[in-house]
């Protein structure tokens, strides 16, 4: 199964890239994690937030592959414990469907993206820095996968 993480924003700090790559490469053949960076809309002092979200949303929607299960990361989404996420991952694996996770820009996801999503996932009720979200998602997916495999990482 391939999990694609579509994230708005480019040129992350080195520590973000290093941490993300470290967790992504730990996953083996049955689960692969791929990052797709979507350019953020150009912002200025007078930028309209809705217009920026729509631009980024259109780019996210265009990057979704047909037949992917789409999960938007959204503060109002469902929260999972690690064992629950592991069960979700098992369901994804059993379905044979690839997964596409969507992370919005600084202003969040457009309504069109939220409507397109098959489900919404909340990492936390806290507002997290978008670069850190990439690392948390990669680590939590790896942790969930290790539970499925009976690996001791989760202890």
């Amino acid at each position: 199964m391939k999990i694609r993480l579509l994230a708005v924003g480019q040129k992350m700090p080195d520590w973000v890239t290093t941490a993300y790559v470290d967790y992504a490469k730990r996953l083996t053949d049955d689960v692969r994690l791929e990052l797709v960076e979507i350019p953020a809309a150009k912002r200025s002092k007078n930028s309209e937030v809705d217009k920026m979200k729509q631009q980024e949303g259109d780019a996210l929607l265009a990057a979704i592959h047909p037949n992917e299960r789409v999960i938007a990361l959204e503060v109002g989404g469902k929260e999972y414990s690690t064992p629950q996420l592991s069960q979700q991952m098992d369901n994804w694996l059993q379905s044979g469907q690839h997964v596409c996770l969507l992370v919005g820009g600084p202003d969040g996801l457009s309504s069109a993206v939220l409507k397109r999503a098959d489900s919404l996932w909340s990492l936390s009720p806290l507002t997290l820095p978008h670069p850190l979200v990439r690392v948390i998602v990669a680590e939590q997916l790896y942790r969930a996968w290790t539970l499925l495999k009976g690996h001791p990482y989760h202890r």
Side-chain angles (χ1 to χ4, degrees):
M1 170 183 68
K2 185 190 302 185
I3 301 174
R4 292 188 324 124
L5 177 60
L6 276 56
V8 174
Q10 298 171 304
K11 298 180 184 170
M12 293 295 117
D14 289 342
W15 68 267
V16 172
T17 303
T18 299
Y20 171 84
V21 167
D22 180 58
Y23 288 112
K25 74 179 180 182
R26 292 181 189 193
L27 294 166
T28 61
D29 295 336
D30 60 340
V31 176
R32 293 180 322 275
L33 180 60
E34 173 188 333
L35 175 64
V36 178
E37 293 183 323
I38 305 295
K42 301 278 191 240
R43 285 172 167 73
S44 68
K45 196 182 229 184
N46 299 322
S47 294
E48 293 179 37
V49 171
D50 287 340
K51 194 178 253 186
M52 303 298 102
K53 282 172 56 171
Q54 181 181 348
Q55 253 185 322
E56 292 164 353
D58 291 347
L60 283 167
L61 292 170
I64 297 170
H65 292 166
N67 302 318
E68 283 182 316
R69 176 184 300 270
V70 177
I71 302 164
L73 277 84
E74 173 68 25
V75 72
K78 180 171 176 49
E79 293 182 17
Y80 294 105
S81 66
T82 302
Q84 289 170 329
L85 180 59
S86 183
Q87 182 59 55
Q88 276 299 117
M89 183 177 277
D90 192 41
N91 293 343
W92 299 339
L93 280 163
Q94 298 305 318
S95 76
Q97 192 174 22
H98 296 305
V99 174
C100 183
L101 303 174
L102 307 178
V103 177
D107 301 305
L109 294 166
S110 70
S111 58
V113 168
L114 295 175
K115 285 178 188 170
R116 169 59 183 90
D118 298 307
S119 61
L120 305 178
W121 174 21
S122 174
L123 295 178
S124 168
L126 299 170
T127 301
L128 301 171
H130 288 257
L132 187 57
V133 167
R134 296 173 187 211
V135 176
I136 292 170
V137 167
E139 192 280 336
Q140 286 300 298
L141 290 173
Y142 173 69
R143 184 177 294 272
W145 179 80
T146 63
L147 274 174
L148 286 177
K149 298 298 180 182
H151 188 281
Y153 177 82
H154 179 62
R155 289 184 291 151

